[in-house]
Amino acid sequence: MTEFEPKIIAFVCNWCTYAGADLTGTSRIKYAQNVKIIRFPCTGRIDFMLLLKSFGEGADGIIVSGCHPNDCHYTSGNFHARRRWIMFRGLLDMLGIDVRRIQYSWVSAAEGFKWADIVNSTVNTIRELGPYTEYEKVAGYLEKEANQ
Amino acid sequence: MSKIGVFICHCGENISATVDVARVAEAAGQLEGVAFSTDYKYMCSDPGQTMIKQAIKENGLNGVVVGSCSPRMHEPTFRKACQEAGLNPFMCEMANLREHCSWVHDKSEATTQKAIDLVRTLVEKVKLNKPLFSIQVPVTKTALVIGGGIAGIQASLDIASAGHQVILVEKDPSIGGHMSQLSETFPTLDCSQCILTPRMVEVAQHPNIKLMTYAELEKLEGSIGNFKATIRKKAKSIDEDLCNGCGTCTTKCPTKKIPSEFNTGLGMRTAIYVPFPQAVPNKPVIDKENCSYYQKGKCKVCEKVCPTGAIRFDQEDELVELEVGAVVIATGFDIMQPSGFPEYGYGKYKDVITGLQFERLASASGPTLGEIRRPSDGKIPEKIVFVACAGSRDPAKGVPYCSKICCMYTAKHAMLYQHKVHHGKSYIFYMDIRAAGKNYEEFVRRAIVEDEVNYIRGRVSKVYEENGKLIVKGVDTLLSAKPVEIEADMVVLASAAVANPGAEALAQKMHVSYDSYNFFSEAHPKLKPVETNTAGIFLAGACQAPKDIPETVSQASGAASKVIILFSKDELSRDPLIAVVNRSPAPVFSTCVGCFMCASACPYQAIGEELITNRQGKVIKKVAKVNPGLCQGCGTCVAFCRSKSIDIQGYSNEQMCAEVIALLNHE
């Protein structure tokens, strides 16, 4: 049996983490291939329904990362995201999603090393947790809700 | 129907070394809606761009995905190429195959597969892209320069001489910065003040420059071309219009024992003071923390002696709002206090001083009028030991980076000392001599050969006092590799150059990035060294990283030219990636229900109300409306909207959803 390769999707802001991940590349720091980035203007833009959508589409783990507190390019987007995350994590249990499957972090444009660390540690965590197989249930639930 | 063109770049070998680019192009060609797919060695080169333009014209492409470097690098390049071929520039997207794939992974099947996934994701996104048109905004042709050191002075003079208004804000009572404290400058040994003070006067007299000293930035809002800056003018406790700078108050002030900041604590000043005789403006301020009247309620001597009645004890801080189009940050650096290095004895022994203090001792305007004298007893030192890298290149206790200026100024210090005290002996403990710069190496050679400065390659382990002498214990790692002990009269530490203590807070106020040392980050380390990540804000001088004077002046002129380029047009184009509230035919008009959650979340107050009326003029619906001039496109409102009625162009709900689905679904 081949080793489980988790599918991880990263929602990052354009100004800090996307640039930080660019720096990881420029510094040629290696990390696992499992994580793929989607660029958002700001973490404040990230509708957390997209996180559920990702699990519904077969993601095993998610990274959400933006600017450090007070460093937001748009002043307060990251605070909105943080508040949303605090609310959202309470709902995950109810939906049957392990909180550990979502890594919420801050990576600045100067933290190339940190980005590689976060990717690698998230991949390890998700590897330990195993594949996320409840997604069909969640997706089915969302579909039913949408049809009502 | 989508007709997408996919262009995969090899980036020389940067991408093709680990990613099978031909296979990525082939896989992209199989995707639904992709009409053209190819790979090429350098997509950003002229032939590469021509290839894109031709493919757009020949295949009637209505969307383009370039799989190459980071969009932060070449998005404008490829969007422009698309525009030149008649395609709306916002129909072009980039898949980041270099920074996010080929550079961070080894060559393997999984790496190629990831590249394919990234391209597929962007193909699905671009299918949902809509043609967008840049927003034109007027430019306020006034520049704000923060920091009045040589960087700020140079930038202000350049911008002002090009005919634009400049507001120069300085936190101290006078402009001049660190350069005004220096004695002579390497490698020419011309007197720092002699070359600086004429510039300072020029700033004060320039009709286009408004100087605000003893003032700090409180708040910065808005964006490129249209910033709104709030400046706190700290109370100077004098009426600047009445004060004629006669200086009577500063001589009569009874509080005389305050360590002078300008003289790095080696001299004293009064509570009402002008930092140094050539200060610009040459008008005093009252240091409230040390003034008897402010602290004890008694004194008012300055008020009594002032011939023009300019003293204002009741003056308060004033907040001034300014409209500016561009900002130059030139806040400079600070010197690390070497108290974290107890082995050097700084703070314990009076005759162990920093390089900046030595500058004041050597300066003709300094506390000793240019004679090198020991701070402890005023004797002329017979032997001086200079310690280079006192804090620099020391990841354990100091900073890991090289402070760049110390090798040169330490050679200069030793040289100045030898010129002033002919029989004296000077020793320099160093790690490496870094003298890269025009005439720099020759300067160090001169110190060694002509002025007989003794260079000892090795570190100092301990400095202690014995019989009025400072015993310096170190090691000579060259040839002998033996311990060295020198009985010195004075020790000068070349302490590290660090970021200003207020740098982090300032960066957060202005929303510019900064690195782990709190130096401000440039937009690109090589190609955009004076820009920040925030459009319209530029960097000059040592606030970005330690720099010497020629480099600082060059960068300041660079930043000034960027501002002048920005001001060369009356209007500038802004990316239209902003929020919009949807509209639909009557009787719905919009799915917006007017809850205005978006307005409360918006950091820019960009969302207002719109009243929809019927033909009789009766209001039938109140909906949100985005002001395109104010919206910066963060999208916080989009995530807040309950009815999904507000969306952000270029990062729409539909597009992000399509990206998620495409990224996660592959065979």
Side-chain angles (χ1 to χ4, degrees), chain A residues 7 14-15 18 22 25 29-33 35-36 39 44-45 47 57 71-72 74-75 80 84, chain B residues 70-72 75 96 100 104-106 108 111 114 117 508 511 514 533 604 634 644 648 651 653 664-665:
Chain A
K7 278 200 252 177
N14 178 43
W15 302 96
Y18 196 91
D22 276 0
I29 306 161
K30 304 282 183 220
Y31 59 78
Q33 285 106 336
V35 173
K36 286 149 208 166
R39 177 161 74 136
R45 162 68 184 88
D47 186 337
E57 293 295 330
D71 291 0
C72 178
Y74 303 107
T75 317
H80 286 298
R84 215 174 277 145
Chain B
S70 171
R72 299 171 60 83
E75 198 172 64
N96 191 340
H100 290 185
V104 288
H105 307 312
D106 294 323
S108 75
T111 306
K114 177 172 172 179
D117 290 345
Q508 292 177 348
H511 310 298
Y514 52 96
N533 265 337
Y604 302 102
C634 68
K644 296 279 165 276
I648 180 161
Y651 294 99
N653 286 319
L664 292 165
N665 287 285

Side-chain angles (χ1 to χ4, degrees), chain B residues 36-54:
Chain B
F36 182 88
S37 180
T38 188
D39 59 283
Y40 183 65
K41 203 143 189 83
Y42 287 108
M43 274 301 168
C44 59
S45 68
D46 200 41
Q49 291 190 44
T50 310
M51 183 189 275
I52 297 175
K53 287 181 210 170
Q54 265 177 0

Side-chain angles (χ1 to χ4, degrees), chain B residues 493-617:
Chain B
L493 306 174
S495 48
V498 293
N500 257 323
E504 189 180 12
L506 184 68
Q508 292 177 348
K509 273 180 203 165
M510 311 185 78
H511 310 298
V512 298
S513 322
Y514 52 96
D515 63 20
S516 49
Y517 314 118
N518 289 352
F519 286 116
F520 300 124
S521 301
E522 61 285 343
H524 188 278
K526 293 187 179 59
L527 299 175
K528 287 183 174 178
V530 303
E531 290 97 329
T532 64
N533 265 337
T534 305
I537 303 184
F538 305 95
L539 300 174
C543 60
Q544 180 197 19
K547 283 194 183 72
D548 58 23
I549 295 167
E551 235 185 312
T552 296
V553 172
S554 319
Q555 198 191 10
S557 287
S561 78
K562 291 285 172 190
V563 172
I564 297 163
I565 293 166
L566 177 65
F567 289 176
S568 67
K569 296 191 194 90
D570 294 326
E571 279 191 329
L572 66 100
S573 301
R574 251 190 52 202
D575 271 0
L577 305 177
I578 56 162
V580 279
V581 180
N582 68 22
R583 281 287 177 275
S584 47
V588 180
F589 303 105
S590 168
T591 57
C592 174
V593 295
C595 71
F596 293 102
M597 284 276 281
C598 50
S600 67
C602 179
Y604 302 102
Q605 288 83 46
I607 300 176
E609 289 175 2
E610 185 180 18
L611 300 173
I612 296 175
T613 52
N614 64 8
R615 283 182 193 162
Q616 284 75 45

Side-chain angles (χ1 to χ4, degrees), chain A residues 9 14 16 18 47 51 65 87 89 99 106:
Chain A
I9 187 165
N14 178 43
C16 289
Y18 196 91
D47 186 337
L51 271 65
S65 181
M87 295 299 291
R89 50 181 294 152
V99 175
W106 292 306

Side-chain angles (χ1 to χ4, degrees), chain B residues 41-291:
Chain B
K41 203 143 189 83
Y42 287 108
M43 274 301 168
C44 59
S45 68
D46 200 41
Q49 291 190 44
T50 310
M51 183 189 275
I52 297 175
K53 287 181 210 170
Q54 265 177 0
I56 292 173
K57 285 178 191 156
E58 284 168 14
N59 301 282
L61 301 178
N62 55 14
V64 165
V65 172
V66 185
S68 56
C69 50
S70 171
R72 299 171 60 83
M73 178 89 192
H74 270 314
E75 198 172 64
T77 314
F78 292 120
R79 287 196 163 160
K80 192 160 156 274
C82 288
Q83 192 169 25
E84 282 165 8
L87 184 68
N88 185 287
F90 295 94
M91 299 305 287
C92 169
E93 292 285 349
M94 284 178 76
N96 191 340
L97 302 188
R98 193 179 73 178
E99 280 85 344
H100 290 185
C101 191
S102 71
W103 274 352
V104 288
H105 307 312
D106 294 323
K107 184 174 184 164
S108 75
E109 171 57 27
T111 306
T112 300
Q113 188 55 50
K114 177 172 172 179
I116 295 172
D117 290 345
L118 293 176
V119 170
R120 187 184 53 241
T121 304
L122 270 302
V123 166
E124 291 306 321
K125 181 183 184 188
V126 87
K127 282 182 190 172
L128 297 165
N129 276 24
K130 291 190 176 72
L132 299 173
F133 300 92
S134 297
I135 301 166
Q136 302 294 315
V137 284
V139 179
T140 309
K141 294 186 182 180
T142 301
L144 173 67
V145 178
I146 305 174
I150 183 61
I153 289 173
Q154 182 67 38
S156 300
L157 287 173
D158 285 351
I159 299 167
S161 302
H164 304 296
Q165 297 298 313
V166 176
I167 296 155
L168 175 57
V169 174
E170 165 60 45
K171 72 173 182 345
D172 288 335
S174 168
I175 57 170
H178 278 118
M179 189 174 166
S180 62
Q181 289 176 285
L182 308 184
S183 53
E184 262 99 75
T185 53
F186 60 79
T188 46
L189 291 189
D190 40 1
C191 141
S192 183
Q193 292 207 335
C194 313
I195 52 179
L196 178 69
T197 45
R199 295 269 170 118
M200 290 162 60
V201 174
E202 211 182 319
V203 165
Q205 293 175 345
H206 204 294
N208 289 346
I209 299 179
K210 187 180 171 199
L211 185 58
M212 290 169 96
T213 53
Y214 216 46
E216 285 179 53
L217 182 83
E218 184 86 2
K219 204 161 75 176
L220 187 76
E221 295 168 310
S223 61
I224 180 168
N226 297 285
F227 290 106
K228 196 163 90 184
T230 310
I231 308 292
R232 175 178 292 275
K233 284 179 82 177
K234 292 180 277 187
K236 294 181 174 179
S237 306
I238 59 146
D239 185 328
E240 282 179 277
D241 296 330
L242 291 178
C243 174
N244 60 11
C246 69
T248 311
C249 53
T250 57
T251 49
K252 300 284 185 206
C253 176
T255 317
K256 295 188 194 296
K257 291 273 162 116
I258 306 160
S260 154
E261 293 85 358
F262 183 75
N263 280 327
T264 59
L266 294 175
M268 297 298 169
R269 64 164 171 86
T270 46
I272 183 165
Y273 73 109
V274 177
F276 54 104
Q278 301 89 333
V280 170
N282 205 337
K283 290 178 183 177
V285 297
I286 297 181
D287 166 10
K288 289 186 179 175
E289 275 167 30
N290 289 301
C291 169

Side-chain angles (χ1 to χ4, degrees), chain A residues 102-122:
Chain A
I102 303 179
Q103 167 70 39
Y104 187 94
S105 56
W106 292 306
V107 175
S108 82
E111 293 176 329
F113 274 102
K114 190 177 174 189
W115 175 248
D117 278 351
I118 284 176
V119 168
N120 289 331
S121 70
T122 309

